[in-house]
Amino acid sequence: MDFKVTIVVTLKPSVLDPQGTTVTEALHHMGYNNVSDVRMGKFMEVSVQASSEKAAEQQAHEICKKLLVNPVIETYRLTIKPAQEAAV
Amino acid sequence: MDFKVTIVVTLKPSVLDPQGTTVTEALHHMGYNNVSDVRMGKFMEVSVQASSEKAAEQQAHEICKKLLVNPVIETYRLTIKPAQEAAV
Amino acid sequence: MIKFGVVMFPGSNCDHDCFYAVQQFFSDQVDFIWHKSTDVHGYDCIVLPGGFSYGDYLRTGAIARFSPVMSEVKKFASAGKPVIGICNGFQILLESGLLPGAMLRNTSLRFICKYVHIKPVNFSTPFSKGLKKNEAIHIPVAHGEGNYYIDDEGLKKLQKNNQIVFQYCNERGIVSDDFNPNGSVANIAGICNEAGNVLGMMPHPERCCDPMLGSSDGKRIFESLLQSLNQRQTV
Amino acid sequence: MKEQEVTLQVALEHGLTEQEFSTICSILGRTPNFTELGVFSVMWSEHCSYKNSRAWLKKFPTTGPSVMVKAGDENAGIIDIGDGLAVSFKIESHNHPSAVEPFQGAATGIGGIIRDIFTMGARPIALMNSLRFGKLSAPNVRRLLDGVVRGISHYGNCIGIPTVGGEIYFDSTYEGNPLVNVFCLGILKHEDIALGKASGVGNSVYYVGAATGRDGIHGATFASEELNEASEDRRPSVQVGDPFMEKLLVEACLELLQTDAVVGIQDMGAAGLTCSTCETASRGGAGIEIELAKVPQREKGMIPYEILLSESQERMLVIVKKGSESEVEAIFDKWDLHAVNIGQVTDDGKMRVKFHGETVVDVPAKALADEAPVYHRAFKEPAYYKQQQIINLANVREPVSYAATFKSLLSNPSIASKKWVYEQYDHMVMTNTVVLPGKADAAVIRLKGTEKLLAITTDCNGRYCYLDPYIGGQIAVAEAARNVVCSGGKPIGVTDCLNFGNPMKEEIFWQFKNCIEGVADACKAFNIPVTGGNVSFYNENPRGAVDPTPVIGLVGLIESQNHVTTAGFKNAGDTIILLGPLDSTIGGSEYLAQEHGIKGGKLPEFDMKLEKAVQSFCYELIKNGLVKSAHDCAEGGLAVTLAECAIIGSEKGMHLGAKVALPDTGNRADSILFGERQSRIIITVNKEHTENIVKQAQQKQIPANIIGSVVSDRFELKYANKVLIEESVSSIHDIYYSALEVSLS
Ligand SMILES: Nc1ncnc2c1ncn2[C@@H]1O[C@H](COP(=O)(O)OP(=O)(O)O)[C@@H](O)[C@H]1O
Ligand SMILES: [Mg+2]
C-alpha cells in the first residue's frame, strides 16, 4: 500500500532562528507591525510503500531520526495518510 | 486578538526539486527502497495581531504574496488559529 | 613520511585544494579517498575537505555522513589518529556525531567569503600544539552555514574539556562578537573532540599556505600537525 | 492522442514568418508535423540561429596564430597559451530569465555557461558576471539585485568555481530589463580538446544528467521577445538549477574525456535535445536517430514535442564510440549519474526522432542547424544622436563644493566598492586567485604548474555606447584591454555579449551595427581575436530599450608572477604619474549624469593610436619592474581614480593617501577632476625612476605628467594651485566600502 507522509521540521524553541528574525524584521520594514515571531521550518512530503499504516509510520519515524531531522537543533511531527486519500 | 498562522510553502508540482531528488536517492542508498518522491518545502509560523480571524487571514495572505512566497515557482496554503488554542 | 588521505565526497570542491596544499608544502604522500571506499589503511591523517557535499541539500553534511567511508573515518578517529574537517568537512563531522553541536545559517543569511583572523585557544591538539598564544591567524572563510550552535550545557562541557580550538578575533588577537562573521556561539571557529585528535574548523587553512595567495598562515596549522605526527612516529 | 494540425497560423504562433514557414515546407517537401514545426521554430529563433545578427558578427576578427577553435565553430572558442595549454572562455546573457525569476535565472545562467566550457574538454576555473540594473531607488531593483547575486552565489559557490570578478552598473535605462551576463573560463591541454560533433555510423548517442521535465518549453523563443504583461503568464517556463548535479556532470565528463570513448559531446542548453542532436549531427556531417521513450523523464505523459523542446538544465549529449559503452556507463555510474543510450549516429544526414518506435521527426539536420534564414535588417541613425552631441556643456554649473561632489561620486553605487556583492561569491576556491576582487583592474588567477597567470575582466559603459555606439564599442574593448594591461597582462582574446533592444527597430539596429563596428575595429587595432560570444536582443519594455551594451570579456596572459600589478598605492614617498592626457571634457560622464541629470554631451576625444601607445608603454614599464601600482582611469574621472588607489592601498591601521597638484590646463576644474577621458592610467613608481620614465614617455610622444606623491593618511587634490579636495583617507575609505550596503539598507 502507498502512503503519503508529511513531515514538519522546526527548530527547537531554544535555538535562535536567524532566518525567522530577518523575515520578521523585513515584515516590520514593510509596515506589518502587527506581525511577529516568525519561525522558519521545513516541510517535506514523502511517499512510503508499506504493508500497513503502522508499518509506514514506523518507517517514517525511522528516516526522520536517521536522516531528515537533526535532533541537536530540530524537532518534527508527521502525519500519514493512504495515498488515495491524500490525493483528494 | 492574537492569532497563530502556519504556512506551508511547496514548489509547484512541475518545478524541479533538486533537494527532494537528492534526498530520495540518499534514502535509497541507505536501503529505504520503499520510500520515494521526496518533495521539500518550507514551513512557517507567524503571530498576527488582528481584530478578527478574518482580518488576520487577510493579512497572512498579503504577507505570503508580498514576501514569504515566490509565486513564480511556489504555492502555499495557510491555517489560522487564535493564539490560545494554538498554544494548547 | 606522513601520509595524508583527502576524502572526496560527491560535491566536495576543496578536495583538490587540500591535496595540492599538502603535496606542495607538507608531504609527497597524499591520496584521494573516494567516499565509497572502506579502506583507510596506512594513512596518518584524514582530511574531510570543504565544498557542498550532496549540494548541501537537506542540511550541510547530512547526507555525506552516510557515505561508506565515514564508518572507517570513525574507527580511524577512535584509534586516536588525527582527522581534520574543514568547512563542509566540519559540518560532516558534526552531523556524524564525531563532534558535538550543529550548524545554522550565518546570521546575515548570506554566504560570506573573506579573510578573517582566528586565535588559537587550545594548544594541546596536534593541530594547534605548535601555535603561539595570542597569535592571530589570517585566514579565509567561505561559507553560508558557519553559525556554530550548541546548547548552554554543551558549551560548558566544551569549555570545561578545553575543546574550543579557534575563535574569531581581530588582527591583534582580540576576540569579540564584532569580528565574528557568522554568529557562532562563543565566537567559535573550530572545535575538537574530547581526545583532541578530531578537529573541525570553518576557516580554510589550505587556502592560505602559499604566500602568493596573500597569506601563508594556514601552513602553521599543518606544520603543527606534522610536528606532532613526526614526534609520535619517532616515539 | 492526436497532434495538432499544422497550418500557417500555427507557424506564426510559433514565431516563424510566412516566408520561413514556406522555406521549411520546401526543405521537407511537405508540411511539417506539429513536433517538427516546434523543432524548427526553436532552432530558427533569434536565440539559436542569430538570424538578425549573424551577417554583422562576420565583422569581428576571429583568426590569429593562437586561435585553436574559432568563434562560431563550437560551443566556445579556444586560444593557445603556450606550454601545451589552452584556454576556452565565453560570455553569455541570461537577461530575460533573470527578469522573471532573478535567483533561478541567474543561477541557471551560470550553469549554462559552465557547460559551454567543459563541453570543450576544459576544466572551468573562473567565473565572472557583468550585471546592470535600474537605479537602486526604483521599485523592484533591490529584489532583482538580491536575487541575481544570490543565484550566482548559490550556483557558483556550490559547484566550486571561483567567481573572481565582474562589474555592476545602476542606471535607469535598465529598469525592468536587468542585464545578467555571465562569463566562464576553462583550461585544457591541447590534446584534450573535445568537439560537439556526431560521426561514425553506428556510434551510440548517450543522454546524461538530469531527467527531462516540462521546463522552459518555449524558453528559447521567450528569450527573443520583448518583456510585457503576457510574459508573466509564461512563468511556468522558469527553470530551476541544480548545481550539485552539474558538479557531478563536470567531474564525470572530464573523467570520461580522458578515455578514448568519446567522439563528441555537447551540452543541452537552449532548445535542449533538439539543438544538441541536430548541431552535433550537422557538425559531424552525419545523421542522428534517437528514441524519446528512452529519455529519462521527470513528469508523466510528456509528448514528443515537450521532450524535444524542454530546456531542463544539467543535461549532456555524448556520442560514444561503438564498443565503449560499458566503459562510459561505468564512469557515470561512479558519479551516480544516469547515462542512457538513446540512439545512434546514422549516415543519412537526418535528425530522426522516434517515440515508442514511431517516427515523429524526420528532417535534414544541417538545414535545421545551419540553414536558418539570415536577415539584413534596415538601420537608421536615431534623432537623439546628433541632438545629444550639441548640448552646450558650458552652461553646466560647476559644483559649489568639490569635496561634496567628490564624496557623492565615491558613494555612487556604480562607482563604490562592490564588496557587498563579491563577498557573497566564493572567489578563492581552487586556490588560484592571486589578485582578489577589488584589488586590481582585472582579476588575476595563476595556472598551477606553470609560471603563467591570466588576467580577466569584463567591461562596457552603456552610456558611452548610447551617446556614440561606434566610439562606445571601441572604448569597451580599449578599456578592457587597459584593465588587463594595468594588471600586468597582454590581451589574448575577446568574448562579447551584445545586449540590445528590438532589432526590428531601425534605430536599435543602427546602434547594434555601429557598436559591432566599434568593437571589431578596436579588436583589429589591438590584434585580439574574438573567440565567441552571445547576442541578446529585445531588452526592451514598453518604455524603451536599454542602452546598447556590448559587454566585452577580455582575457590576458601574464608571463610571470613578477608582473602582477594591483591598483592600490604601495609606499609613501612614491611618485604618482598620469600616463595619457590630462585634459578632458565632462561629456558622457557619470558626474554629468549624477550631479546634473544630463545623459549627453559629446564624448571626450578618443584616439586609438594614443590608446595603444599608452597601453604598450605601461606594459613595458611593468615588465621592466618599474611600476608599483597601476589603475585605469574610468568612471568618476581622475579624482575618483586617485581616491581608489589610496583606498585600495590602505589596509586596517595603515593608510596611504596622495598629495596631488594638477597643472592648470585652462579648462574648468570639474572637467579635469571628473571628466572621463580614455587612454589614461595612474601609476606609482619609486621616486628615483621618475625622471627616466617621463623621459622615455616623451621620446614616444606619450603624455606623462608627474602629478604628485603618495603620502600617509591624507588625500589632497589641487587644481590650478587651488585645493579642491582635502579628506582623511579613513573617511573616504569608509564611504567607498559602505556606500552600496548603505543604499541597500
Ligand atoms: N556576439 C558574438 N560574437 C562572436 N561570436 C558570437 C556572438 N554571438 C554568438 N556568437 C557565436 O555564435 C555561436 C552560436 O552560439 P551558441 O553557442 O549556439 O549559442 P548558445 O550557447 O546560446 O546555444 C557560438 O559559437 C558563439 O560564440
Ligand atoms: Mg551552446
Side-chain angles (χ1 to χ4, degrees), chain D residues 10 54 56 218 483 603 623:
Chain D
V10 178
R54 195 181 279 210
W56 284 96
H218 288 294
N483 286 346
L603 294 178
K623 283 219 295 189

Side-chain angles (χ1 to χ4, degrees), chain D residues 486-621:
Chain D
C486 286
S487 306
K490 192 181 166 65
I492 57 169
V494 155
T495 175
D496 61 286
C497 194
L498 308 174
N499 304 276
F500 288 81
N502 180 348
M504 306 302 184
K505 297 184 183 163
E506 297 182 354
E507 287 86 356
I508 299 286
F509 208 79
W510 178 85
Q511 294 176 335
F512 180 71
K513 155 201 166 285
N514 281 283
C515 276
I516 287 202
E517 287 176 332
V519 168
D521 285 352
C523 288
K524 284 178 199 154
F526 284 108
N527 204 7
I528 316 173
V530 174
T531 69
N534 176 244
V535 179
S536 172
F537 282 132
Y538 302 99
N539 292 290
E540 185 154 343
N541 62 34
R543 274 168 299 143
V546 298
D547 282 350
T549 311
V551 173
I552 299 299
L554 196 142
V555 178
L557 193 62
I558 304 179
E559 282 170 11
S560 147
Q561 192 195 337
N562 299 329
H563 301 171
V564 174
T565 306
T566 54
F569 291 148
K570 298 295 177 303
N571 304 96
D574 288 345
T575 306
I576 304 173
I577 299 178
L578 168 65
L579 297 181
L582 177 64
D583 221 350
S584 180
T585 66
I586 55 178
S589 67
E590 191 68 36
Y591 158 75
L592 191 58
Q594 174 185 300
E595 297 295 313
H596 303 283
I598 298 173
K599 177 179 178 172
K602 207 168 148 43
L603 294 178
E605 187 189 337
F606 176 69
D607 173 356
M608 185 54 90
K609 217 172 112 221
L610 174 65
E611 178 72 44
K612 280 178 63 185
V614 167
Q615 288 191 25
S616 66
F617 184 59
C618 182
Y619 182 63
E620 287 307 315
L621 291 180

